[in-house]
Amino acid sequence: MGIPWKITCTGGSLLHPWPYGGTLHRDAVSTSTYSSPAKSLGDPGITPLSPSHIVKDSDAEDAVEQLFLVVVAIDFGTTSSGYAYSFTKEPECIHVMRRWEGGDPGVSNQKTPTTILLTPERKFHSFGYAARDFYHDLDPNESKHWLYFEKFKMKLHTTGNLTMETDLTAANGKKVKALEIFAYALQFFKEQALKELSDQAGSDFENTEVRWVITVPAIWKQPAKQFMRQAAYKAGMATPENPEQLIIALEPEAASIYCRKLRLHQMIDLSSRAPVNGYSPSDTIGTGFTQAKEHVRRNRQSRTFLVENVIGEIWSELEEGDRYIVVDSGGGTVDMTVHQIRLPEGHLKELYKATGGPYGSLGVDYEFEKLLCKIFGEDFIEQFKIKRPAAWVDLMIAFESRKRAAAPDRTNPLNITLPFSFIDYYKKFRGHSVEHALRKSNVDFVKWSSQGMLRMSPDAMNALFKPTIDQIVQHLSDVFDKPEVTNVKFLFLVGGFAESPLLQQAVQSAFGSRCRVIIPQDVGLTILKGAVLFGLDPAVIKVRRSPLTYGVGVLNRFVEGKHPPEKLLVKDGTRWCTDVFDKFISADQSVALGETVTRSYTPAKPSQLVIVINIYSSEQDNVSFITESGVKKCGTLRLDLTGTDASVPNRREIKTLMQFGDTEIKAMAIDVATSKSVKVGIDFLNY
């Protein structure tokens, strides 16, 4: 075995030495009939230096921290979105955006619906309530030409091979590039926030003075997170040259940061044995929640929240090493993150990689749609959605309001108004009335009210929640069974769907005996406020779990009997094994914030002036070759050394650095002799 080269890890040793030993090259000469990525790229070769020259961390060119006047966080949700901000000089004051025009009966409007409307010429027209109301008021024949999008964020989660070319489908069936729609939406928020800030300041507020934070689900794969950054660049929030102006924050992490600040009067402890917020545990959960809703209603008049610069009472009970779980239940996804407290600063360590799935409140809407299909026929519902899209939106708005009124102890029925065009179109389509359809359908818990409404019994409504809530409880049970998740002290239930008393009761009855279930009172704004706090202090999360295995493609000395014969490459009389995956970090490995893995290489030929290092990723931990299934190329470091001093020593050192621990990963290559360097963000969308 040859001498393994040295690895320097700033922030702690991360990796084992290269297991094969021997000299290692990166190569590209196609001398074999076997076609492999390494040989077909035309990349000049590199070989490791042994031992590695170790440089001080300062050589890694740390980015100079910019000073921003304000942090603006955007919670881009599946069903609703909003922004909040805080001036860096007053970090304890978090301001939630101005109230929106419009709004729905029975639904609070601190956020606006994530709906966007484009003109027939595909230009941005409006967002949120304004988009929905304008679309709704269009003549049905005219509305066919307008492009209306809602609940489109889920496309980033459900698309397996997401690229910059991925399309979204409007209500009228026309397709538009997803990147354009997301960029339009972010540009709308950027302009709204800058206008509000300018009004407050009394003079124009510049984009350069703002640090932007955009929240994304932690369970999103890397391409979706990168997609949001690209959309933000397109919207003009930041540039690839100044990426630090934009932070991509993970939703449950943001919630976790906010929950640390909670005081007793700002939360409901469902597991409490003593009175909290003036109600005792003998009262039902519903009663406590009613009081909390009243508190939120009063608070809604004020848009400024004071976040005391203290650790909340619940938090002060936590000791070094204590664990808690954050369950962020939104419209599209449910995200779960397990964190551990680290004292004295109260920094957070991610114990178990983010998990979850598409179990958001959209699942309840889907069950309602299935119920309508059962009563009126799938063919009719499909036609109605296409022919009367605005009326379909109306029907779902009416359902949303009643959905929020569902509670475990409710006894009176819930009435859902059917739009006139639904009743009218059904009669034309079937030749008989809606009332007739209900009588024939044998759906006994839904009746027709003479005022033109569907009357649902509380049991019928609760049944619509059951499949989604069961999935959440099952997934949580699986998480609690993991060895890393023992002795959890608290479960924080956050996100818009956490407002549902049905979900609260299900989580409390399933897990109340294992930990305390806590709900922040302004549960729908928890992520937004936490994202602002994260933007003010991005270093608060100290340790994360790497979602993927990362490495580079290299050549290694061919060992007979150990390496597959089809990987043999003979060059200048030397036998090489091609396509070897040289691992930098493993999936689910703990990584400290800013932890950098550094390795040194040298060009295989001293005269070589273009060094190319390809970076690969995989969801699997145990990867040997870059040709294995699931291994994806996600970055290229191309270091052009032409024009540099010819008197450079023969053993030219090329240092490769990969920085982990942040929500995104950066890579860099440096020619030590000339200090020439190249940086690259890991790219999951263009390879």
Side-chain angles (χ1 to χ4, degrees):
M1 294 287 281
I3 306 166
W5 76 83
K6 207 168 211 170
I7 297 162
T8 58
C9 298
T10 61
S13 181
L14 252 183
L15 294 151
H16 298 292
W18 179 244
Y20 298 115
T23 316
L24 193 94
H25 279 262
R26 167 163 209 77
D27 194 85
V29 185
S30 224
T31 56
S32 152
T33 53
Y34 169 71
S35 171
S36 82
K39 293 183 202 172
S40 60
L41 292 168
D43 301 349
I46 58 169
T47 172
L49 271 178
S50 181
S52 163
H53 165 75
I54 300 173
V55 287
K56 294 190 191 77
D57 295 345
S58 58
D59 289 13
E61 288 188 41
D62 291 334
V64 178
E65 185 60 35
Q66 280 174 275
L67 297 172
F68 299 101
L69 293 181
V70 68
V71 169
V72 179
I74 298 170
D75 179 4
F76 194 125
T78 304
T79 48
S80 62
S81 298
Y83 67 85
Y85 58 94
S86 178
F87 293 98
T88 47
K89 285 185 176 164
E90 295 181 288
E92 66 286 346
C93 282
I94 297 176
H95 309 271
V96 177
M97 62 191 177
R98 283 196 274 230
R99 293 171 65 78
W100 298 94
E101 295 304 314
D104 298 328
V107 178
S108 72
N109 65 336
Q110 275 186 306
K111 291 189 191 169
T112 194
T114 309
T115 52
I116 194 165
L117 182 64
L118 305 189
T119 66
E121 296 75 41
R122 296 175 174 243
K123 294 279 179 277
F124 175 80
H125 179 271
S126 47
F127 187 90
Y129 289 116
R132 215 179 59 190
D133 294 347
F134 187 91
Y135 180 64
H136 177 260
D137 292 342
L138 284 168
D139 176 84
N141 288 325
E142 202 184 346
S143 69
K144 288 175 196 161
H145 305 291
W146 288 68
L147 290 91
Y148 179 74
F149 299 85
E150 62 177 354
K151 303 182 175 81
F152 51 86
K153 181 182 167 189
M154 278 300 281
K155 180 84 175 193
L156 297 195
H157 181 66
T158 53
T159 304
N161 54 341
L162 183 70
T163 70
M164 307 288 263
E165 303 302 310
T166 297
D167 286 328
L168 292 175
T169 307
N172 63 0
K174 291 183 180 166
K175 291 187 185 303
V176 179
K177 295 256 181 299
L179 190 71
E180 281 183 40
I181 299 298
F182 279 85
Y184 276 143
L186 291 172
Q187 191 174 353
F188 168 79
F189 279 114
K190 182 187 91 168
E191 287 166 6
Q192 291 285 322
L194 287 175
K195 185 174 186 313
E196 183 171 341
L197 289 166
S198 298
D199 290 350
Q200 276 213 358
S203 60
D204 278 354
F205 218 88
E206 296 296 327
N207 185 60
T208 51
E209 299 170 306
V210 179
R211 165 168 261 168
W212 298 97
V213 182
I214 299 173
T215 64
V216 301
I219 54 166
W220 270 12
K221 290 195 168 20
Q222 297 301 117
K225 292 173 187 172
Q226 185 188 330
F227 187 93
M228 274 313 240
R229 180 169 281 280
Q230 294 302 325
Y233 288 163
K234 195 171 166 67
M237 287 176 160
T239 61
E241 294 72 43
N242 188 17
E244 284 78 17
Q245 191 177 358
L246 169 70
I247 296 174
I248 302 293
L250 307 181
E251 287 162 7
E253 282 191 357
S256 191
I257 291 161
Y258 180 65
C259 288
R260 298 194 315 156
K261 305 276 189 184
L262 287 174
R263 308 304 302 268
L264 279 179
H265 64 276
Q266 295 170 312
M267 60 185 141
I268 305 148
D269 184 346
L270 296 186
S271 330
S272 178
R273 298 287 169 269
V276 172
N277 297 334
Y279 76 95
S280 70
S282 56
D283 297 329
T284 64
I285 292 172
T287 315
F289 199 73
T290 309
Q291 293 196 3
K293 270 191 162 167
E294 175 58 26
H295 175 90
V296 169
R297 191 189 63 73
R298 288 198 304 272
N299 263 7
R300 212 162 260 144
Q301 305 316 311
S302 157
R303 290 184 308 105
T304 300
F305 294 83
L306 284 176
V307 180
E308 295 177 59
N309 196 17
V310 294
I311 297 296
E313 290 95 337
I314 282 259
W315 217 259
S316 61
E317 293 178 31
L318 288 171
E319 295 166 3
E320 174 84 42
D322 276 350
R323 294 142 187 231
Y324 64 94
I325 191 163
V326 176
V327 180
D328 166 25
S329 42
T333 52
V334 170
D335 242 0
M336 301 165 195
T337 308
V338 185
H339 279 152
Q340 187 173 38
I341 195 84
R342 298 175 76 188
L343 298 176
E345 300 90 353
H347 288 140
L348 311 180
K349 174 182 179 179
E350 187 182 14
L351 267 193
Y352 182 70
K353 67 180 177 190
T355 175
Y359 323 131
S361 60
L362 282 186
V364 185
D365 299 355
Y366 177 63
E367 290 298 320
F368 177 61
E369 195 177 318
K370 274 187 5 194
L371 178 67
L372 292 175
C373 288
K374 193 173 173 186
I375 298 169
F376 303 109
E378 199 172 328
D379 54 345
F380 167 72
I381 295 297
E382 286 308 310
Q383 276 300 303
F384 179 70
K385 282 162 82 172
I386 294 163
K387 300 287 188 203
R388 301 283 187 273
W392 174 255
V393 169
D394 260 5
L395 175 55
M396 293 313 288
I397 292 167
F399 174 67
E400 180 68 27
S401 158
R402 306 324 296 142
K403 178 171 97 176
R404 288 168 184 254
D409 49 359
R410 190 183 174 98
T411 51
N412 53 328
L414 296 121
N415 292 328
I416 297 160
T417 308
L418 284 182
F420 172 73
S421 63
F422 185 99
I423 297 165
D424 182 54
Y425 191 67
Y426 184 77
K427 194 157 179 64
K428 286 180 185 156
F429 191 87
R430 287 270 191 258
H432 57 246
S433 70
V434 162
E435 191 178 353
H436 177 78
L438 267 163
R439 275 205 306 272
K440 269 185 62 184
S441 69
N442 298 324
V443 179
D444 52 359
F445 39 69
V446 181
K447 302 279 183 262
W448 178 246
S449 141
S450 53
Q451 292 106 344
M453 296 176 177
L454 289 179
R455 282 173 76 83
M456 291 185 75
S457 73
D459 286 350
M461 179 59 91
N462 296 1
L464 300 182
F465 280 78
K466 193 175 184 318
T468 305
I469 288 177
D470 284 353
Q471 281 183 303
I472 294 170
V473 169
Q474 181 57 54
H475 199 96
L476 258 172
S477 294
D478 295 345
V479 170
F480 268 99
D481 289 342
K482 303 282 183 219
E484 304 94 320
V485 192
T486 50
N487 303 324
V488 168
K489 266 205 173 174
F490 299 111
L491 186 154
F492 290 100
L493 194 56
V494 303
F497 194 23
E499 292 183 13
S500 161
L502 291 168
L503 177 59
Q504 291 172 21
Q505 187 194 50
V507 171
Q508 168 60 19
S509 58
F511 307 104
S513 59
R514 300 170 95 162
C515 61
R516 285 166 68 185
V517 180
I518 308 284
I519 300 166
Q521 281 191 336
D522 47 356
V523 64
L525 297 174
T526 302
I527 288 150
L528 199 44
K529 294 181 197 172
V532 173
L533 294 172
F534 184 53
L536 291 166
D537 179 19
V540 67
I541 307 273
K542 287 295 184 197
V543 180
R544 286 190 174 87
R545 296 267 168 172
S546 174
L548 298 170
T549 296
Y550 290 95
V552 294
V554 294
L555 290 180
N556 201 356
R557 291 275 182 153
F558 191 85
V559 179
E560 208 68 55
K562 177 179 178 182
H563 292 139
E566 69 272 15
K567 298 288 184 192
L568 174 63
L569 171 71
V570 181
K571 186 193 167 196
D572 299 336
T574 306
R575 291 157 61 84
W576 300 105
C577 177
T578 187
D579 299 333
V580 174
F581 185 101
D582 174 13
K583 194 192 295 183
F584 268 59
I585 194 168
S586 299
D588 206 26
Q589 187 171 331
S590 281
V591 229
L593 181 67
E595 193 150 21
T596 305
V597 184
T598 307
R599 298 197 175 177
S600 290
Y601 301 92
T602 190
K605 293 186 191 138
S607 58
Q608 190 176 304
L609 290 174
V610 178
I611 318 294
V612 180
I613 302 166
N614 286 316
I615 303 162
Y616 296 87
S617 68
S618 169
E619 290 184 23
Q620 302 305 313
D621 177 18
N622 199 10
V623 185
S624 301
F625 297 100
I626 59 174
T627 47
E628 289 175 26
S629 69
V631 175
K632 291 185 177 138
K633 185 176 167 192
C634 59
T636 299
L637 284 163
R638 185 183 175 85
L639 191 55
D640 189 344
L641 304 176
T642 47
T644 52
D645 187 357
S647 64
V648 166
N650 278 350
R651 282 167 67 78
R652 180 170 218 145
E653 181 176 2
I654 307 298
K655 189 171 286 297
T656 307
L657 304 95
M658 257 196 244
Q659 191 178 56
F660 299 95
D662 203 345
T663 51
E664 295 163 290
I665 292 148
K666 303 174 186 78
M668 184 176 179
I670 308 166
D671 175 34
V672 173
T674 62
S675 295
K676 201 166 183 180
S677 69
V678 60
K679 288 182 183 178
V680 67
I682 305 292
D683 187 344
F684 292 93
L685 295 170
N686 295 310
Y687 284 99

